Amino acid sequence: MPCLLSHCSAIVRRAAGFTLVELIAVIALLGILSAVAISQFGNTQTYHDLQLKDQLISTARVAQQTALNRYNQTVTLEVSRPGDWLLEVKADGLPLKRQLIAASAAQLFAPGGAQISGSTPYVVGYDNLGNLASGATANLSFDGASAHLLCITVAGYAYQAASSNDCQAN
């Protein structure tokens, strides 16, 4: 039986499209992928923890620079948690810089394992050369994990380290 022109073009047209089952399968797959992707944006806790770490490093560096600029004044960095995290740089007890960071679930520990909270602020003092006044490193850790370890060297430099051994080596 010979192929009529109109019949042959109809067959070609039907073969070029998608079936309803294929379209529903693609829509279902996109729905599943978007649900997984949206759930990743819902958890902001990690962001708050990283923000706190970065702000601590930045504020410690500001405190060191302030100590270098104020020769006859005692410069300190105070970290407390009266609700939200409060980072303060003070010269002779007067606040120069106040940084308030939204509360996160992270717990911050001072050297020796003491938890920093609103009732027990942690104070780091700097001398007029930008060095730590106490003469020892001030290593702060988040939740006791070495992945978030903030080191302040004897020379007053603040940075993030991969492990507590990296803090002690510098």
Side-chain angles (χ1 to χ4, degrees):
M1 181 163 157
C3 178
L4 299 173
L5 186 59
S6 63
H7 179 67
C8 290
S9 66
I11 293 172
V12 172
R13 244 185 274 134
R14 273 189 246 140
F18 295 106
T19 66
L20 184 59
V21 173
E22 290 172 330
L23 289 174
I24 290 174
V26 169
I27 291 172
L29 185 61
L30 286 173
I32 292 170
L33 290 174
S34 65
V36 170
I38 289 173
S39 68
Q40 296 300 317
F41 294 112
N43 184 7
T44 59
Q45 188 58 48
T46 304
Y47 171 75
H48 288 298
D49 294 347
L50 291 174
Q51 179 188 20
L52 176 61
K53 176 192 56 80
D54 289 343
Q55 287 297 324
L56 268 168
I57 291 172
S58 174
T59 306
R61 290 179 182 171
V62 166
Q64 181 188 32
Q65 292 298 314
T66 302
L68 289 168
N69 291 329
R70 297 177 178 258
Y71 184 74
N72 290 327
Q73 295 181 335
T74 303
V75 177
T76 58
L77 165 65
E78 293 186 16
V79 180
S80 62
R81 189 175 186 174
D84 292 336
W85 286 101
L86 179 61
L87 311 175
E88 286 186 292
V89 176
K90 294 182 178 181
D92 287 342
L94 298 173
L96 299 175
K97 177 182 174 162
R98 260 179 92 108
Q99 182 73 37
L100 195 62
I101 301 170
S104 67
Q107 296 178 351
L108 193 58
F109 295 94
Q115 183 177 350
I116 298 172
S117 65
S119 60
T120 56
Y122 181 67
V123 179
V124 177
Y126 294 87
D127 64 14
N128 59 354
L129 297 175
N131 300 324
L132 289 184
S134 62
T137 59
N139 304 328
L140 306 175
S141 63
F142 290 81
D143 300 325
S146 61
H148 298 291
L149 190 61
L150 170 70
C151 305
I152 303 176
T153 65
V154 175
Y157 181 70
Y159 64 98
Q160 178 183 358
S163 70
S164 59
N165 291 336
D166 291 342
C167 275
Q168 294 168 357
N170 295 320

